[in-house]
Amino acid sequence: MAPEPPVYRSVSGYGNNIEHPACGANGSAFLRRTPIGYADGVSAPAGADRPSARVVSNIVCRQETDTLNAQRLTDLTWMWGQFLNHGFNLIAATDPLETIGIPVPADDTAFPPGSQIPLTRSAYDPSTGTGRRNPRQQLDSLNAYIDGSQVYGPDEGRAAALRAVQNLGPVAVYTSTLKTGVGVDGPALPLNTAGLFNQTVGPTAGYFLAGDERANTGYGLMSIHSLFVRATTARSCRPCRTARRCSTSGSSTSTASARCSRASRPRSCRRSTSR
């Protein structure tokens, strides 16, 4: 007899897969679809005998004139793809930091020729990388489910910071409503007054706070985040056609976002993006 699905979805994704609760949860190793490619078969970066990644980037991305998409797709397509990706893919840096220098070619127009672009290596399972039979495996800071974590927050702390607070007498409780800021034509993302980590340059309080730390890295991405906050705020729980019931998600104390509570299975436990 299969276990009963949880009443509330966890923020971490643990328990979404009923038969394998830890599958796809925060901190899981990525699922590899290709053979290991380390230089030493264990953990050393490969590619010393290949062209610099910057050379490849300059060739592939060179575009001197506007090029219309053959399928008549707009820039919103890749922006949506980026927004979706930020709900199940975030790789932290190694601790302590491990860096790789990407050589800049002599004809580069953006970086000083002959310099190097620093690249931080990805966090990995410390129990791996001990030998060829146990190569390094990278970890995902998010869960593998399309559950709106880039809107509602991927962990307890960020999820709580995004919620509006209601005072019930002497007790303050988190509500299912997201905090919003004041925009020119309607609600906007709130400012990061809590000082949570964001991928930004300068004081974090001067930037927006969203469920994902990368929301401020581009205007298009920021716009989609704003649209989701507006839609969620306007109607906190939309009817769900396929789920058995629709209820607030997360823990009863700090995460009360509106999501369908029926546990689902991921397309795969992990997706492999490692360095």
Side-chain angles (χ1 to χ4, degrees):
M1 182 175 179
E4 286 293 321
V7 176
Y8 300 104
R9 281 197 176 195
S10 66
V11 176
S12 67
Y14 185 89
N16 282 358
N17 187 313
I18 301 172
E19 296 181 358
H20 305 281
C23 183
N26 286 9
S28 300
F30 283 97
L31 179 66
R32 289 189 177 273
R33 294 295 190 184
T34 59
I36 295 295
Y38 295 116
D40 59 357
V42 181
S43 64
D49 58 342
R50 298 195 292 263
S52 165
R54 180 62 182 174
V55 171
V56 176
S57 174
N58 287 346
I59 294 173
V60 173
C61 299
R62 181 178 291 119
Q63 182 175 323
E64 298 177 353
T65 60
D66 291 338
T67 302
L68 296 180
N69 184 275
Q71 298 180 1
R72 303 180 67 84
L73 301 178
T74 69
D75 283 338
L76 182 61
T77 304
W78 67 260
M79 292 177 190
W80 169 251
Q82 185 181 37
F83 175 81
L84 189 65
N85 173 267
H86 286 184
F88 53 77
N89 187 348
L90 175 63
I91 309 176
T94 52
D95 185 16
L97 289 177
E98 297 180 24
T99 59
I100 308 172
I102 301 177
V104 176
D107 60 348
D108 200 282
T109 59
F111 295 95
S115 63
Q116 290 192 336
I117 303 173
L119 174 67
T120 302
R121 298 197 68 187
S122 304
Y124 61 93
D125 184 345
S127 67
T128 65
T130 60
R132 288 182 174 271
R133 294 187 177 181
N134 184 33
R136 180 179 291 194
Q137 303 290 353
Q138 285 69 32
L139 301 175
D140 192 354
S141 298
L142 304 179
N143 67 63
Y145 298 88
I146 302 176
D147 60 357
S149 63
Q150 66 271 58
V151 178
Y152 302 105
D155 56 67
E156 297 283 351
R158 204 172 190 93
L162 289 166
R163 299 310 189 278
V165 177
Q166 180 180 5
N167 292 319
L168 299 178
V171 180
V173 297
Y174 293 107
T175 72
S176 60
T177 304
L178 296 177
K179 292 178 181 177
T180 59
V182 179
V184 176
D185 57 351
L189 292 168
L191 292 177
N192 186 19
T193 55
L196 299 183
F197 178 76
N198 269 344
Q199 292 188 20
T200 56
V201 179
T204 57
Y207 292 88
F208 294 118
L209 178 66
D212 186 73
E213 64 188 49
R214 296 161 288 190
N216 294 272
T217 57
Y219 293 119
L221 184 62
M222 193 185 306
S223 299
I224 296 179
H225 273 278
S226 299
L227 290 174
F228 267 83
V229 167
R230 290 186 180 188
T232 304
T233 304
R235 191 175 183 184
S236 61
C237 189
R238 296 179 180 276
C240 180
R241 297 179 180 177
T242 58
R244 298 171 183 170
R245 58 191 180 277
C246 195
S247 65
T248 54
S249 167
S251 73
S252 59
T253 58
S254 63
T255 54
S257 62
R259 298 182 195 161
C260 298
S261 62
R262 183 181 183 182
S264 59
R265 295 181 177 84
R267 291 169 296 182
S268 63
C269 288
R270 284 291 149 197
R271 295 155 180 79
S272 178
T273 52
S274 59
R275 295 191 286 270

